[in-house]
Amino acid sequence: MATFYALTVPEFVAELGLSGRDAFDLEWCLSAGEGALIAARTGLSAETAQAMTFRDLVPAARMMIARKNRHHCPLCPSDVHRKSTALPWRSRCPFHGAELHDATGATLSNMLGAGRFSELKTCADGGAAVLDAWARGEEQKALGPDEMLAFLTARRDNREFLTTPIIRCRFCFMAGL
């Protein structure tokens, strides 16, 4: 929202009356008072301001959120930065269905090639749905270790590498570390 008001993020946070608050903490979740301050200064409702945060994601997913928008939808207005573009498992805009573009204008299908992208699309969409559910705290126990390994190595190219214990790990395990 800071760019909409032609301010830097720290300037915008200070203008909202939230000096000293970390902008990244604010994007995670707003207290009732912070939501009210933002609502009063921007004309948005407190609920709308809260909906612009990542509050519906579990804390473990926080490390996956990009600090800057790395991708954008070609059909969304350029000054609109949707939360979904900060999530690395998204490759399509949830509003338009268009492929997200990176800073160079490339899409995932451009990078992989249309044929390979088509082959992987079903797995990618399924994987994105699983990650999205996990990030929201849903169905966290749906996949056990074997199912997760199968999911992560859908083509099985790296299965042997991932299932082979590393000597140091075996030693640590045997030593009780």
Side-chain angles (χ1 to χ4, degrees):
M1 288 177 33
T3 54
F4 179 77
Y5 291 99
L7 297 170
T8 65
V9 172
E11 290 170 337
F12 181 65
V13 171
E15 189 64 33
L16 293 172
L18 300 169
S19 294
R21 290 286 287 136
D22 184 292
F24 298 117
D25 287 336
L26 292 173
E27 76 178 7
W28 187 244
C29 188
L30 303 172
S31 69
E34 292 166 341
L37 276 173
I38 292 172
R41 297 303 302 257
T42 62
L44 298 172
S45 69
E47 294 79 25
T48 299
Q50 189 68 263
M52 295 171 75
T53 69
F54 292 102
R55 72 173 177 196
D56 58 336
L57 299 183
V58 295
R62 186 174 188 173
M63 67 179 209
M64 299 178 86
I65 299 169
R67 292 288 190 199
K68 295 180 178 178
N69 286 340
R70 294 181 287 187
H71 303 95
H72 69 278
C73 170
L75 303 175
C76 288
S78 62
D79 60 341
V80 172
H81 302 286
R82 301 194 190 278
K83 291 186 297 182
S84 60
T85 62
L87 304 174
W89 55 85
R90 294 286 182 140
S91 64
R92 295 194 170 274
C93 173
F95 299 95
H96 301 108
E99 279 191 83
L100 298 177
H101 293 234
D102 68 10
T104 67
T107 63
L108 190 57
S109 64
N110 293 140
M111 290 183 248
L112 295 175
R116 177 163 283 163
F117 182 74
S118 293
E119 291 172 11
L120 295 175
K121 186 176 180 334
T122 302
C123 290
D125 290 346
V130 168
L131 285 171
D132 203 53
W134 168 80
R136 291 175 185 359
E138 303 163 4
E139 303 174 26
Q140 290 188 23
K141 303 214 181 322
L143 297 178
D146 292 334
E147 293 86 1
M148 184 58 78
L149 184 61
F151 165 72
L152 293 172
T153 59
R155 292 189 56 215
R156 309 254 184 226
D157 290 347
N158 298 316
R159 186 173 179 83
E160 184 177 331
F161 170 77
L162 291 170
T163 57
T164 304
I166 298 171
I167 292 173
R168 188 173 125 202
C169 291
R170 274 194 230 152
F171 173 76
C172 293
F173 177 74
M174 291 173 16
L177 301 177

